[in-house]
Amino acid sequence: MKENETKSQQDLTEQTEQQVPQENQSRHLFVALLILAFMIFWGFQNPKTAQRIGLVLLGFGGIVMIHELGHFIVAKLGGIKVEAFSIGMPPVLVGIRKLKKGWRIRLLPKPDAADPVEEGDNETEYQIGMFPIGGFVKMLGQSDTGAADADNDPRSYANRPIWIRICVVSAGVIFNAIGAVVLFMILFMNGINLPPAVVGHVVNNSPAYDAGLRAGDEVVEVSGDRFVDFAAVQLSPALSSPGEPISYVVRHPNGTEDNIEVIAEVIAGDTTKLRYSGIAQAGTVTLNPRIADDPNDVVDLFKKTGLRPGDEIRAVNGQPVQSPWHYEQMLSEIFRPEVTLQVSRQWPLDPESDQRTMETVKLPMQIDYVVENFRNEYDLTHFGSIVPRLKVAAVAEPTKIENMINWFRKTILRKESLSSIKDLFSPEDILLKVGDIDSPNYRQLREITTAHENKDLSITVLRKDKQGQEQKVEVVVRPKAKPGSDRVTIGLGLSLDIEHPVVGQVLPVPGITGDIQGIPSGARIVAVAGQPVANFFDIATGLQENAGKQVRIDYQFDGKSAAVSFTVPEHEPVHAQAVLAVGLPFAEYTREYKASSPVQAVRMGFKKVSQFVIQNYLTLASLIKGDLPSSALMGPVGILSVSYQATGLSLDRYLYFLGLISSCLAVMNLLPLPVLDGGHIIFLIIEKITGKPIHEKILAPIMYIGLALLLGLILWVSFNDVLRLIGL
């Protein structure tokens, strides 16, 4: 009787133990289906965003798969038992194992849930993790955070020869490099459009300008490397050592070539402290036919200007445009409130037709408040030594953190929101006084702002009310340092008050003589050389027409009229540059890079990967030497953000970006740091030399310290990524 009761209890216990996993599996399946349903629903609601996120995950998943596949294949070839092969980091979403009688699929298995294996079953479970930012291969007896686990199985990782283990560890980075080569080889075989190393603009007073580089030149060789696109030219200054000349071979528009050396420098006022040469990428004069991230803004711009996607600018004020840089040069010299552009437009009734029409559009102009100058942050704009007043062009929006704080105050604490800079200023406000300085110029504003870091600073502005009447308004701000730099800011975007011919200041400009210095701040210019003026565009025109001549300037101040005379400089009577008041989305200037044969495609693929690998090591060397600021680094958040942006480009450009990331991963994983593949190789070499593995009590702390340092670095660069994303 007791035996029967005992047997019944055992049967009930076994049934219960079988039911519990089944119930857990059903629950896990329900949760997985619920998550999948939500993702599908969200994807249908946001198809473009979902598609781009899917491309990001697919791209990074592919890179990780190649890396881990290298470990997996070489481990199998080396006779090591592989227990799990996972794409993505835990928790595990799906586990799949081939059995002798079929397949076993585990959905959302618990981390400690056993997966029994019988004779004839496949020894490896293939897994997909929830987070597609990594992956792993679990080999018998292998540990990432300490010494290999002791095991009597001859197929255990620890029991295989050291040379096999080194091959297994290094296979990941080798496969990443090979994968990048294959990817680039396919791209170059098909042909890929990349920005060529054509100079679109050279900044005044920059190292490249001093060396003789000009717009239209093409760099055909960088430090002995003849395979050059603009990326190579762009990166070479940042990766050079201070004072180290960069060797360029430059082909001029007339076909001649010159050897030029450029010593990169830091731009005055640049908070990143990166070195540049002063070369800007060439653009086009064709408006981008693709509407990408901000379709509403782009459509509004086209409606506002009368332009259309695909329009090609052919003439400026009736003068033919010879090149994109010629177009920019022509605009910079037009000191008029408006410019007339003649554009070539595709026949709208037949998009496939080659027939085009000529259209005319008029666009507003503005004058930059500083002339671009590489080595002098405070190169002040002036009109024959007269500086216009500064005005507010844009006010910084509250950051996401500020919005969150204000939401918490209003919703949870039931308090008033904290005021932001947007509550104090309005666009078109004219700065009359900052601190104790009347109508400060750009340099003075920067200096007084820096001096008042975290202190109250009084600013008086001239503002129009709802009736259009001008009135003085005083506000108090507290300038703050921008995170990650020593730059102190208020949060205002400034421009020049060009619309009103009112004097802000008169600068003591060398070479300008006469009694022009007697014009007081706040005076309104009414005539130049006897011609009435209504704004600084008219003043600029009058000065240009009378360059090198003695002119009379009439002005009014405090209700009284007065005049001064001075000699207008013959060279550069107006120290400023004119630009369009609206930014136009020009198409990127690219050139097809295509291999003529599979052999050349392989060579180009190897060359491109070697370029990226060398650039990564040079970047690390510059970082260690202190030549490159840590703020220039990008972490997982930044890489994912850039990857998302890259999906908005063509597919081949996104694949090109993935090849770059795969090359970077190969470099980073091979660094001789604990936890990384390079660190494991160092430990194996030590084991080979000493004849025994490093003791667990020594190795474990090293691995955990390395892991902590690596996680700390990731958190630090991710913090910088987040600051960039939220605009701090």
Side-chain angles (χ1 to χ4, degrees):
M1 190 75 170
K2 291 183 179 180
E3 291 179 359
N4 291 335
E5 288 182 8
T6 303
K7 185 175 181 181
S8 298
Q9 291 176 353
Q10 290 176 348
D11 293 340
L12 181 62
T13 301
E14 290 176 359
Q15 291 176 4
T16 304
E17 290 176 349
Q18 291 174 358
Q19 290 174 356
V20 171
Q22 291 175 355
E23 292 175 358
N24 288 338
Q25 188 172 12
S26 299
R27 191 181 300 113
H28 293 163
L29 178 61
F30 174 76
V31 172
L33 292 175
L34 189 64
I35 294 173
L36 181 62
F38 173 78
M39 293 174 63
I40 293 174
F41 173 78
W42 182 87
F44 276 112
Q45 295 294 319
N46 306 273
K48 290 186 178 180
T49 304
Q51 181 184 15
R52 294 178 66 176
I53 291 176
L55 281 174
V56 172
L57 299 181
L58 184 63
F60 277 84
I63 292 174
V64 172
M65 183 186 70
I66 291 172
H67 182 90
E68 298 302 328
L69 190 63
H71 293 313
F72 174 74
I73 291 176
V74 178
K76 287 281 191 179
L77 292 175
I80 297 174
K81 182 178 180 180
V82 179
E83 298 177 325
F85 174 53
S86 175
I87 300 299
M89 299 301 289
V92 177
L93 296 177
V94 181
I96 303 173
R97 187 189 297 272
K98 177 70 170 64
L99 307 178
K100 61 182 178 181
K101 297 181 180 180
W103 294 86
R104 179 188 296 144
I105 300 176
R106 301 194 301 158
L107 299 176
L108 297 172
K110 289 185 176 180
D112 56 349
D115 184 24
V117 180
E118 298 179 0
E119 185 176 352
D121 295 344
N122 194 307
E123 65 184 23
T124 306
E125 182 181 54
Y126 299 89
Q127 301 174 348
I128 298 177
M130 180 175 291
F131 300 105
I133 56 174
F136 64 87
V137 174
K138 181 65 176 72
M139 293 171 276
L140 179 64
Q142 183 259 344
S143 174
D144 287 329
T145 56
D149 298 332
D151 197 297
N152 294 326
D153 193 322
R155 298 184 62 208
S156 171
Y157 174 82
N159 294 331
R160 302 304 294 160
I162 291 177
W163 70 270
I164 290 181
R165 284 183 275 165
I166 290 177
C167 290
V168 171
V169 173
S170 60
V173 296
I174 293 174
F175 267 57
N176 270 132
I178 293 174
V181 169
V182 172
L183 184 57
F184 286 130
M185 181 188 71
I186 295 172
L187 290 174
F188 288 127
M189 198 65 199
N190 273 341
I192 177 173
N193 291 321
L194 298 173
V198 176
V199 179
H201 176 69
V202 183
V203 180
N204 292 333
N205 199 26
S206 67
Y209 190 91
D210 294 345
L213 275 163
R214 294 295 182 267
D217 290 342
E218 180 176 1
V219 179
V220 296
E221 182 178 304
V222 178
S223 300
D225 189 356
R226 298 288 294 192
F227 182 54
V228 178
D229 55 16
F230 192 78
V233 178
Q234 195 173 33
L235 285 172
S236 58
L239 300 178
S240 64
S241 298
E244 175 191 4
I246 307 167
S247 299
Y248 292 143
V249 175
V250 177
R251 182 181 298 135
H252 302 295
N254 62 8
T256 61
E257 292 188 1
D258 282 331
N259 295 315
I260 292 177
E261 288 192 345
V262 177
I263 299 177
E265 300 175 12
V266 176
I267 300 177
D270 182 22
T271 58
T272 67
K273 304 304 180 184
L274 292 172
R275 283 180 299 281
Y276 297 92
S277 62
I279 299 173
Q281 182 177 335
T284 67
V285 289
T286 301
L287 298 181
N288 196 343
R290 298 183 59 193
I291 297 177
D293 291 338
D294 302 311
N296 293 330
D297 292 343
V298 176
V299 170
D300 289 344
L301 173 64
F302 286 132
K303 287 181 179 179
K304 181 179 179 181
T305 60
L307 293 165
R308 297 289 181 270
D311 283 356
E312 181 182 353
I313 298 175
R314 293 289 183 85
V316 176
N317 285 348
Q319 299 298 315
V321 173
Q322 299 173 5
S323 65
W325 38 92
H326 180 231
Y327 161 75
E328 291 185 2
Q329 179 64 30
M330 294 169 71
L331 283 182
S332 69
E333 299 171 351
I334 298 175
F335 294 103
R336 302 282 184 181
E338 194 174 63
V339 65
T340 300
L341 302 180
Q342 287 77 39
V343 300
S344 172
R345 179 173 299 169
Q346 191 173 32
W347 182 248
L349 300 180
D350 186 5
E352 297 182 358
S353 172
D354 293 333
Q355 183 179 357
R356 302 180 72 90
T357 61
M358 293 300 296
E359 306 290 339
T360 299
V361 296
K362 295 182 181 293
L363 298 179
M365 296 289 291
Q366 69 181 25
I367 299 176
D368 277 354
Y369 59 91
V370 289
V371 172
E372 191 178 24
N373 192 314
F374 194 92
R375 299 185 177 99
N376 187 358
E377 182 183 8
Y378 309 112
D379 190 12
L380 302 176
T381 291
H382 63 84
F383 297 73
S385 76
I386 299 174
V387 180
R389 298 175 299 184
L390 293 176
K391 73 173 183 179
V392 177
V395 185
E397 295 286 342
T399 65
K400 294 181 180 179
I401 292 178
E402 289 174 338
N403 285 332
M404 291 174 60
I405 293 174
N406 281 332
W407 176 87
F408 182 79
R409 287 177 62 88
K410 290 177 62 177
T411 308
I412 307 300
L413 302 180
R414 303 293 181 181
K415 294 183 178 181
E416 291 184 2
S417 300
L418 298 175
S419 61
S420 68
I421 197 70
K422 200 170 182 64
D423 300 321
L424 301 177
F425 293 92
S426 299
E428 304 302 319
D429 283 354
I430 297 172
L431 303 189
L432 296 181
K433 189 172 184 178
V434 178
D436 57 354
I437 301 177
D438 293 325
S439 298
N441 59 42
Y442 180 76
R443 177 178 60 233
Q444 292 170 330
L445 179 64
R446 177 69 68 200
E447 291 171 350
I448 195 170
T449 300
T450 303
H452 283 76
E453 181 181 355
N454 296 323
K455 300 176 185 177
D456 287 344
L457 176 62
S458 175
I459 299 179
T460 302
V461 301
L462 188 65
R463 178 180 301 167
K464 287 185 178 180
D465 58 21
K466 294 181 180 179
Q467 289 72 38
Q469 299 296 318
E470 292 183 335
Q471 58 182 350
K472 293 182 180 180
V473 178
E474 184 176 346
V475 297
V476 177
V477 299
R478 180 163 287 195
K480 295 181 180 179
K482 190 175 182 179
S485 75
D486 55 359
R487 175 61 61 86
V488 179
T489 64
I490 300 175
L492 300 178
L494 299 173
S495 63
L496 295 173
D497 179 24
I498 300 299
E499 293 77 15
H500 304 95
V502 178
V503 177
Q505 291 184 4
V506 180
L507 296 177
V509 178
I512 295 182
T513 59
D515 53 0
I516 193 171
Q517 293 289 329
I519 302 179
S521 176
R524 178 178 291 270
I525 308 297
V526 296
V528 174
Q531 297 296 319
V533 297
N535 48 49
F536 270 93
F537 288 112
D538 294 340
I539 295 175
T541 300
L543 294 175
Q544 286 180 317
E545 292 176 349
N546 292 276
K549 300 177 182 178
Q550 184 87 3
V551 299
R552 170 188 168 113
I553 294 182
D554 294 278
Y555 66 90
Q556 293 177 347
F557 184 71
D558 282 346
K560 299 179 181 180
S561 298
V564 296
S565 296
F566 83 111
T567 301
V568 180
E570 185 171 0
H571 173 68
E572 200 176 42
V574 178
H575 188 61
Q577 62 178 358
V579 295
L580 285 176
V582 292
L584 300 181
F586 288 112
E588 186 180 40
Y589 176 48
T590 60
R591 182 183 297 165
E592 186 180 53
Y593 288 75
K594 187 173 183 178
S596 58
S597 66
V599 174
Q600 187 185 19
V602 173
R603 290 176 180 172
M604 293 173 72
F606 270 107
K607 190 66 177 178
K608 182 54 66 176
V609 171
S610 65
Q611 282 182 350
F612 285 141
V613 169
I614 292 172
Q615 287 167 359
N616 273 277
Y617 277 117
L618 290 176
T619 300
L620 292 170
S622 298
L623 184 67
I624 293 172
K625 291 188 295 182
D627 296 338
L628 189 68
S630 60
S631 59
L633 295 180
M634 187 176 291
V637 175
I639 293 173
L640 289 174
S641 174
V642 173
S643 179
Y644 179 82
Q645 296 172 27
T647 59
L649 304 174
S650 60
L651 179 60
D652 56 354
R653 291 292 292 277
Y654 178 59
L655 294 176
Y656 181 87
F657 173 78
L658 291 179
L660 183 154
I661 296 299
S662 187
S663 303
C664 293
L665 185 62
V667 173
M668 298 305 295
N669 260 294
L670 205 56
L671 293 176
L673 300 175
V675 182
L676 298 180
D677 291 341
H680 285 285
I681 293 174
I682 294 297
F683 296 145
L684 290 172
I685 292 174
I686 293 174
E687 180 180 343
K688 180 66 176 178
I689 294 174
T690 61
K692 58 182 180 180
I694 301 175
H695 196 278
E696 172 70 19
K697 292 183 178 180
I698 298 176
L699 184 58
I702 294 175
M703 298 296 288
Y704 283 115
I705 291 173
L707 180 61
L709 292 175
L710 184 61
L711 290 176
L713 177 62
I714 292 174
L715 289 174
W716 169 248
V717 295
S718 297
F719 175 72
N720 288 333
D721 292 339
V722 172
L723 290 181
R724 281 192 288 264
L725 287 175
I726 64 178
L728 290 178

